[in-house]
Every structure is written in C-alpha cells, then in structure tokens.
Amino acid sequence: DAGVIQSPRHEVTEMGQEVTLRCKPISGHNSLFWYRQTMMRGLELLIYFNNNVPIDDSGMPEDRFSAKMPNASFSTLKIQPSEPRDSAVYFCASRLQGNTEAFFGQGTRLTVV
Amino acid sequence: AQSVTQPDIHITVSEGASLELRCNYSYGATPYLFWYVQSPGQGLQLLLKYFSGDTLVQGIKGFEAEFKRSQSSFNLRKPSVHWSDAAEYFCAVGEGNNDMRFGAGTRLTVKP
C-alpha cells in the first residue's frame, strides 16, 4: 500500500484565494483525520470522519474552513478565503476504527501571502 | 475530554546517553496511548502503542514506553541514543472510534 497520500505537497497562494487540500486514505481504513501543525499551536485536530461521516468538527477554526469526504477513498479540506494566519502544515491521517493507530500522510505545507 | 501533556518542549542529550521523554494524559477510562516520531519535513511515524496487557511496550528503533495508571503517564525511553534519533516526538491518546489527541511535542537534540 502506498500509505496516506496528500496533495499538493506545497501550496503558495495569495490572501483571499480558495485553497483545496486533498487526501487519499489507506484502502480499507474507515476513519480519517485532518490536523494542522504550527510552531505556536502544535498539532491540532481539525476534524475527523468515521465511515465518511464527520464526527467532530469542533477543531475547525472558522467558517472559512470546510471538509468533505464524498467516498471512502477521498477527502478534501477547503479554505475560502485564505488568510496569512492559515499558513501551516496540514496533515491527513487514516486508521481502521477500533484498536489501531493512525497513519499519517507527508503533509501539505501551505503558505498564504 | 481526553488530553495529553508533554512537559518538556526541548531536550538535549549526548549520543550514547539514555533518554526519557515524559507524557501525561487525562482520560476517564483506560486510554489507548501512542508515541510518534516526526523527522523534519516528514509526517508522523508510529514508534509504539499501548492498548492493554503488559504495561511495558517495545517499539521500533530500540524505544520502549511504560504505562503507569497511577501516575497517568506513558513515558518513552531509550537506553542509548543515536544521532539519528534527533527529531520531534509526540505522545497521543485515543480511544476506540473516537479521535486522537496529541501532545505539544518534545524536540530532541543529540549532541555528538
């Protein structure tokens, strides 16, 4: 298995633009997590899905952030409009529900200028 | 709500010295506990995990961790650190079908 695949690896965008981050979880995994990592706040859980259903989105910072999981093999995290303070590394992770660990993608480094 | 505390932001040890990274958790039931390592520019890689049973768990790269319920701790140890162990280490707590929460991380520097 290729592991959790995130795209793009790097994204530079101007303030006000829409940004879409993509994630393909490991096949067969039915939980998916989106995290944001910054120096100031560390690794924050933004939202997670079980069986494609959002379970807890309390970590989503603002209405500008939205996440979808239209099927078991794809999820998106969208920021619209983007702001410089959204600059961070965004990680996607997946796991089997139950007694298992999460597997992380390589992350998307987002820079909003 | 479950939470994780890693009290040490940055630790420096000499190569060959022993290492202990601290982790304390807050959770109502017996948690599932994890240690991950992150090298610069990379994602997080699992070192070891505890779900139940023997409270001393062995992981990859010579790491081990001990679950102590009375202290709500899950400290990571390694008897002899190698220069390649320099990285950031994250403790995490999770339960069943719920989310996984991570500590703030401890950055390890290894002196030659």
Side-chain angles (χ1 to χ4, degrees):
Chain A
D1 197 313
V4 176
I5 299 173
Q6 292 186 246
S7 64
R9 288 295 308 276
H10 301 273
E11 176 80 37
V12 181
T13 191
E14 291 185 344
M15 181 173 63
Q17 296 298 306
E18 177 180 297
V19 175
T20 299
L21 310 182
R22 297 172 174 80
C23 176
K24 176 178 167 55
I26 293 173
S27 177
H29 284 189
N30 48 13
S31 288
L32 182 140
F33 306 82
W34 281 102
Y35 291 90
R36 178 173 68 176
Q37 185 177 37
T38 61
M39 289 289 291
M40 292 297 294
R41 303 171 77 93
L43 198 60
E44 301 173 275
L45 177 66
L46 300 178
I47 185 172
Y48 77 97
F49 297 83
N50 285 345
N51 297 311
N52 312 338
V53 176
I55 302 301
D56 183 355
D57 65 354
S58 60
M60 297 284 261
E62 300 171 33
D63 291 345
R64 298 184 297 107
F65 286 69
S66 62
K68 294 182 180 179
M69 193 164 185
N71 56 62
S73 59
F74 184 64
S75 177
T76 59
L77 178 67
K78 184 178 294 186
I79 308 172
Q80 164 64 16
S82 58
E83 297 182 2
R85 60 193 169 120
D86 301 330
S87 298
V89 180
Y90 291 80
F91 285 103
C92 176
S94 72
R95 73 173 186 187
L96 284 169
Q97 283 183 271
N99 303 359
T100 63
E101 66 272 22
F103 292 81
F104 280 75
Q106 296 288 338
T108 295
R109 180 174 296 278
L110 173 65
T111 303
V112 183
V113 298
Chain B
Q2 55 194 13
S3 66
V4 181
T5 302
Q6 293 181 247
D8 304 306
I9 296 174
H10 183 206
I11 284 183
T12 299
V13 299
S14 298
E15 190 167 17
S18 64
L19 171 70
E20 182 168 27
L21 303 181
R22 295 183 291 166
C23 173
N24 293 96
Y25 66 89
S26 173
Y27 190 67
T30 299
Y32 300 150
L33 296 159
F34 310 85
W35 274 100
Y36 284 81
V37 60
Q38 183 182 30
S39 298
Q42 301 296 312
L44 279 70
Q45 180 187 19
L46 182 74
L47 282 176
L48 48 79
K49 60 188 177 185
Y50 171 79
F51 291 147
S52 64
D54 193 347
T55 56
L56 184 64
V57 294
Q58 303 295 321
I60 62 171
K61 305 184 182 186
F63 285 92
E64 66 178 27
E66 186 171 11
F67 170 58
K68 292 186 177 179
R69 185 190 304 274
S70 61
Q71 299 177 18
S72 297
S73 69
F74 189 57
N75 294 349
L76 181 72
R77 300 194 295 251
K78 186 169 185 178
S80 178
V81 170
H82 188 262
W83 64 266
S84 60
D85 293 325
E88 186 138 20
Y89 291 80
F90 292 91
C91 182
V93 60
E95 186 274 325
N97 298 332
N98 296 325
D99 60 10
M100 287 183 67
R101 301 283 173 168
F102 285 79
T106 298
R107 183 160 61 91
L108 174 65
T109 298
V110 180
K111 293 190 301 183

